[in-house]
Amino acid sequence: MNKRCITRNKSIITASAYCASIEKALQHIPDAEVSIKRITNTLNILPSDKLYISNSKGYVVFHAVANGKQYYISPKDSKVHSLARRRHLQLLQQILELSNSTKMNDIRRRQTLIHKLQKTIILFEQGNLDLSRIVLTSKQYDWFRSNYQKKPINPASPITTAIGEPVRSKSERDIINGFISLAVPYHYEEQNIICVRPFVDKLKERLTKKGCLQGQLFIVRNNTTQWFVPAELEWMNSQGSIWKTYEPFDGTIELFNDFMIMLADGTIIIWEHEGLMDDFIYRCNSSERASVIKYTGTVDKDNLIETYEHDIDTPEKLIDIIEHRILPRVWF
């Protein structure tokens, strides 16, 4: 079994990244009504005190009002993040409520609110607040900042991201830098234990009905496990296949997916980048990871992104994938 290391994800959410991200995301809102409902439910459980922000010569101070009384609140007070989150969500809710209107006054009002939201986020940052606690859902925040088991990598790798994280390839660096530039919460090469027993049982039943090996799923030849499977599952027999590394088979498979992203509704997107496709072993293992995810129903097709080098060979192509397939669902 591979050695593993524990990694704590750094906060990558800056005001400039979030402002750029929310502006792009608001161009592709998946379902405004669903998002408004989710925001309303969150507002109902947040403190109702009203937050005021004063800014004098770049020095930001926070005050709150409760029961008609104003009080100072420190940036180190956990409550200030809850009040800031309320302020952020109230503005976002107002923007979404105008998203389907074609009236010129509503369009102008919506743009004004977007600018107000962006200025507010900038003030939060200037006031030394943790933006990730404000713009992410509580579930996203806990996931994003959690310890997670990661595939070992040489910390001295010459390829590093914009925040100094070592990665294995320039393409992975470019993808992560795209996440950073648009404030996307991600995990890199997180251990993913997938239960494949139901898939294996169905396959065994299928093979049994066809009279293959009297129900036996594999045989061992020269100390190598060889699966007898239908043609469309031939990837299970590829050289170095992960299906061959578990003997006896315990019903699970360990993957280290390239990237995981948590959406606002708690759903996980998996992004597999097939980079070194001229390397035979890499090509087998990389395509197999995506195949395991698809065939075992780990995520549905809308939550699996597969890219090749030609898909992200320009910054515009990479940002377009993030903008259309990820951003709206991260924030809404």
Side-chain angles (χ1 to χ4, degrees), residues 173-210:
R173 176 201 62 194
D174 293 343
I175 292 172
I176 290 178
N177 285 346
F179 294 157
I180 293 169
S181 70
L182 293 170
V184 174
Y186 71 91
H187 284 182
Y188 172 57
E189 290 192 335
E190 179 178 7
Q191 180 195 49
N192 188 8
I193 302 296
I194 299 176
C195 177
V196 295
R197 176 64 70 186
F199 167 75
V200 171
D201 288 345
K202 286 182 180 179
L203 178 59
K204 185 174 181 179
E205 181 181 354
R206 179 178 174 183
L207 296 176
T208 302
K209 287 180 179 179
K210 290 189 174 183

Side-chain angles (χ1 to χ4, degrees), residues 132 136-147 187 262:
S132 61
L136 298 177
T137 67
S138 58
K139 188 171 184 179
Q140 281 177 312
Y141 177 78
D142 290 343
W143 176 85
F144 175 54
R145 297 302 299 272
S146 66
N147 290 333
H187 284 182
M262 180 173 281

Side-chain angles (χ1 to χ4, degrees), residues 48 57 74 88 92 98 129 144 153 161 167 177 215 232 248 268 278 291 304 323:
S48 59
K57 298 181 180 179
S74 168
H88 161 261
L92 194 55
L98 297 172
L129 299 188
F144 175 54
I153 186 170
T161 67
V167 292
N177 285 346
E232 69 269 23
I268 294 289
D278 55 342
S291 297
L304 174 64
E323 180 179 342

Side-chain angles (χ1 to χ4, degrees), residues 266-282:
T267 301
I268 294 289
I269 280 183
I270 292 176
W271 183 331
E272 287 291 338
H273 180 66
E274 328 290 359
L276 304 173
M277 299 308 282
D278 55 342
D279 183 305
F280 176 74
I281 299 298
Y282 176 92

Side-chain angles (χ1 to χ4, degrees), residues 112-263:
T112 299
L113 287 168
I114 292 172
H115 291 156
K116 185 176 180 180
L117 172 62
Q118 292 170 324
K119 289 179 181 178
T120 301
I121 292 296
I122 291 170
L123 285 175
F124 288 158
E125 184 176 71
Q126 291 175 348
N128 297 315
L129 299 188
D130 179 357
L131 294 185
S132 61
R133 292 176 65 181
I134 297 168
V135 302
L136 298 177
T137 67
S138 58
K139 188 171 184 179
Q140 281 177 312
Y141 177 78
D142 290 343
W143 176 85
F144 175 54
R145 297 302 299 272
S146 66
N147 290 333
Y148 67 93
Q149 294 189 336
K150 178 179 176 182
K151 190 174 183 179
I153 186 170
N154 183 357
S157 170
I159 307 173
T160 58
T161 67
I163 58 172
E165 181 179 12
V167 292
R168 301 180 195 282
S169 70
K170 293 180 180 178
S171 295
E172 289 180 339
R173 176 201 62 194
D174 293 343
I175 292 172
I176 290 178
N177 285 346
F179 294 157
I180 293 169
S181 70
L182 293 170
V184 174
Y186 71 91
H187 284 182
Y188 172 57
E189 290 192 335
E190 179 178 7
Q191 180 195 49
N192 188 8
I193 302 296
I194 299 176
C195 177
V196 295
R197 176 64 70 186
F199 167 75
V200 171
D201 288 345
K202 286 182 180 179
L203 178 59
K204 185 174 181 179
E205 181 181 354
R206 179 178 174 183
L207 296 176
T208 302
K209 287 180 179 179
K210 290 189 174 183
C212 299
L213 302 176
Q214 292 76 47
Q216 296 298 311
L217 206 54
F218 56 82
I219 60 174
V220 177
R221 292 177 178 171
N222 300 324
N223 297 319
T224 300
T225 304
Q226 175 70 36
W227 295 67
F228 282 84
V229 296
E232 69 269 23
L233 298 176
E234 185 55 36
W235 48 268
M236 296 172 73
N237 285 327
S238 63
Q239 185 174 351
S241 170
I242 57 175
W243 293 87
K244 298 175 182 178
T245 63
Y246 291 84
E247 182 65 38
F249 178 64
D250 68 353
T252 64
I253 281 184
E254 176 189 57
L255 299 182
F256 291 95
N257 302 116
D258 289 336
F259 311 103
M260 291 185 179
I261 302 104
M262 180 173 281
L263 307 178

